[in-house]
Amino acid sequence: QPDDRGLIGDVPVLRVTRRGPEAVHFVLAALEPGAEVLLSLDWERRFDHMQQHSGQHLISAIAEQMFGFKTTSWELGRQRSVVELDTPLVTAEQVEALEKSVNEKIRDRVPVTVRELAADDPEVETVRSRGLPDDHVGPVRVVDIKDIDSNLCCGTHVSNLSDLQVIKLLGVEKGKKNKTNLVFLVGNRVLKSLEQSHSTEKALTSLLKNGPGEHIEAVKRLQSSVKLLQK
Ligand SMILES: [Zn+2]
C-alpha cells in the first residue's frame, strides 16, 4: 500500500517507509529535535488508499468464498488497482456475480475492526496472510471484516464497508502464468472515472452530432468513408 503524505509542522513529508517497528519519515527540511509540532495528513490521498485497500480485502475474500480463487498478489495503482487471482480463467458471468456480491456487502454496512495478537498465538495460523516480513517484532495486527474475512495486515482500512461506497470491477486481463488479473475501482475513483467517461461522451455527442447510443455507428460510417476516399 502506498505511503502517506502531509506536513510535520510546516515541513512536507516526501516519503514514509517502515524499518522494523518504526515508520521512518523523509522530510524536505531538518526538524529541531524535541520541538512540539502539529502533524497534518493529506486526507484525500489517505482515504483513497483506505478505500482501494479495504476494497481489495473484500474482493479477495468473496472471490475465494464464491469461486475458490485465491489472491496471490495485488497492486494499488494511480488510476486503477489489480487483484491477481490464482486461476487461468475468470468468466464474464463470474465477474458480474462477484461485483454484485461485494456491493451487497457494502450495502449491508459490515463493520471492519482491528485486533492485535501475540505473534505465537495459535489463532495467527487461522487468518489469511502472505507471511510476516523478516524484521518483524512484537504483536501482529489482524483486520476483520465481520463474518467475512480475517487478514494479517498493517495497512490502513475503513472502519465500515459502507465507507467504500461502491466497487466497480472493470474486467479481467491475462496475468502471469495461469493467473488472471482482476481490475477494479473503489469509492471516489468510481465517481471520478464516471465523470471522465461522461465528459468524453458529451464531447463525442457534440462532434458526431448524435446521441451516445449512435456514437459507435457514426464512427464506423466515418471510418468507411475515409477508407473509400483513400482508395
Ligand atoms: Zn489490509
Side-chain angles (χ1 to χ4, degrees):
Q1 186 177 358
D3 49 352
D4 281 327
R5 295 290 180 273
L7 298 169
I8 298 180
D10 52 9
V11 180
V13 174
L14 304 172
R15 198 162 79 84
V16 186
T17 182
R18 189 185 63 80
R19 213 174 276 161
E22 266 146 26
V24 182
H25 291 63
F26 293 82
V27 289
L28 195 62
L31 295 158
E32 203 185 315
E36 211 168 280
V37 287
L38 181 71
L39 304 178
S40 40
L41 181 73
D42 179 342
W43 176 249
E44 201 181 318
R45 178 183 165 93
R46 159 72 81 91
F47 185 62
D48 174 48
H49 293 161
M50 284 161 57
Q51 283 192 320
Q52 310 316 308
H53 180 60
S54 307
Q56 176 266 317
H57 278 238
L58 178 62
I59 295 166
S60 291
I62 303 295
E64 186 167 345
Q65 201 181 88
M66 286 179 84
F67 306 112
F69 300 153
K70 286 200 188 312
T71 294
T72 37
S73 77
W74 84 285
E75 197 187 318
L76 200 169
R78 245 177 233 261
Q79 309 285 338
R80 40 175 240 170
S81 303
V82 169
V83 172
E84 184 192 67
L85 297 173
D86 194 12
T87 170
L89 181 76
V90 181
T91 66
E93 290 73 27
Q94 286 171 326
V95 172
E96 202 186 321
L98 183 56
E99 183 179 274
K100 193 170 165 231
S101 175
V102 293
N103 282 291
E104 269 167 18
K105 303 294 181 204
I106 293 172
R107 289 198 299 278
D108 287 345
R109 298 179 174 83
V110 181
V112 181
T113 49
V114 172
R115 63 199 156 110
E116 282 190 352
L117 294 175
D120 59 358
D121 190 316
E123 214 188 316
V124 172
E125 297 303 312
T126 66
V127 303
R128 189 191 303 276
S129 167
R130 280 161 60 202
L132 285 169
D134 292 338
D135 59 351
H136 175 84
V137 282
V140 297
R141 192 166 175 266
V142 178
V143 177
D144 295 307
I145 304 177
K146 193 169 183 274
D147 299 331
I148 296 176
D149 188 45
S150 288
N151 201 323
L152 215 59
C153 189
C154 63
T156 58
H157 308 85
V158 296
S159 55
N160 189 293
L161 288 188
S162 63
D163 290 332
L164 301 182
Q165 300 160 257
V166 62
I167 291 180
K168 179 64 200 165
L169 302 182
L170 294 174
V172 288
E173 293 170 359
K174 203 172 156 41
K176 289 179 204 156
K177 196 174 187 292
N178 291 326
K179 310 244 164 128
T180 302
N181 294 333
L182 178 65
V183 186
F184 70 95
L185 302 173
V186 185
N188 288 333
R189 289 196 184 195
V190 177
L191 297 180
K192 274 186 194 151
S193 167
L194 184 60
E195 175 55 35
Q196 269 170 10
S197 300
H198 186 60
S199 58
T200 304
E201 191 181 275
K202 273 200 298 194
L204 284 172
T205 296
S206 135
L207 281 169
L208 297 168
K209 307 212 173 355
N210 61 16
E214 286 97 52
H215 284 170
I216 293 169
E217 276 310 311
V219 171
K220 280 182 182 163
R221 275 202 304 278
L222 278 171
Q223 281 178 330
S224 48
S225 44
V226 168
K227 266 182 205 155
L228 277 174
L229 285 170
Q230 281 170 342
K231 273 185 183 167

